[in-house]
Amino acid sequence: MRKRIDMTGQRFDRLTVICFDHRDSGDSLWRCRCDCGNEVVVRRKNLLSGLTKSCGCLKREIGVEKAKKMREVRKKKQTEDLTGKVFGKLTVIQPERISSYLCRCECGREGIYSAGDLLTGRRRSCGCGPKGSKPVNIDGQRFGKLVVLRRNKEASAAVSHLIFDCRCDCGNEITVYGRELRSGRKTSCGCDKRTTKNIAADFARKHGCSVCADKKYCNRTICKYEQEFARRKKNEMEAKEDAND
């Protein structure tokens, strides 16, 4: 067995090691005294890594301080008018709704942000790049099956993110977040994710069957409309094979 390193007397933030307590799961546990007077047993690796810094009093103090700060922000939010003030790249134009303001960024884009985000510093810009940069125009660009038609200004202002109107190759038009287009998470209106089961269910509904796609309330083992759809698909494939021959 490896010789245990004596940590007695060592200090880790608010904790001072008193003595060795016991071993558990291959790690040594040490009894420590906190600056507040409480004694706790802490794993050696937690002391060395800084994961445990006190008996728990530090976490409580941070929580109290954070709550105090939030109360001050809430009070300031309710009493102070932020119109005309500058927060980073944002200039407050006017109150928009309860505890929210319409702001203009240095890049020229406008958006609605909460007073709490402005006062705490969580919101310093519209999300644009370096100072002076302008929103990238992606009108006409293709992302998979989607072609960007235009930027949807109303939707973008409402959610404070770039949203674009796009047309899919199948003909459908949808609105998409710009970040989803750039990251590749959105490449169609959803038409490429349709399964044979979905198509069969649509066929059944079109021809008079009102049963849901999973046939939860259907007393038939096999849907007659689904069988008809399968026969038609088979005939189409055979016709294609004959044409190729």
Side-chain angles (χ1 to χ4, degrees), residues 29-81:
L29 284 83
W30 296 80
R31 184 168 293 278
C32 305
R33 181 177 289 114
C34 185
D35 288 348
C36 68
N38 289 334
E39 291 187 5
V40 289
V41 177
V42 188
R43 289 185 179 274
R44 174 179 174 272
K45 63 181 180 182
N46 290 353
L47 290 169
L48 295 175
S49 65
L51 187 63
T52 305
K53 299 179 180 180
S54 69
C55 66
C57 59
L58 179 60
K59 186 176 181 180
R60 287 193 294 273
E61 288 175 12
I62 292 173
V64 170
E65 195 66 32
K66 187 176 179 181
K68 184 180 177 181
K69 185 178 179 182
M70 290 304 296
R71 281 196 298 271
E72 290 174 356
V73 169
R74 197 177 295 114
K75 186 178 179 181
K76 195 174 182 181
K77 222 172 28 171
Q78 294 171 350
T79 58
E80 186 179 0
D81 184 11

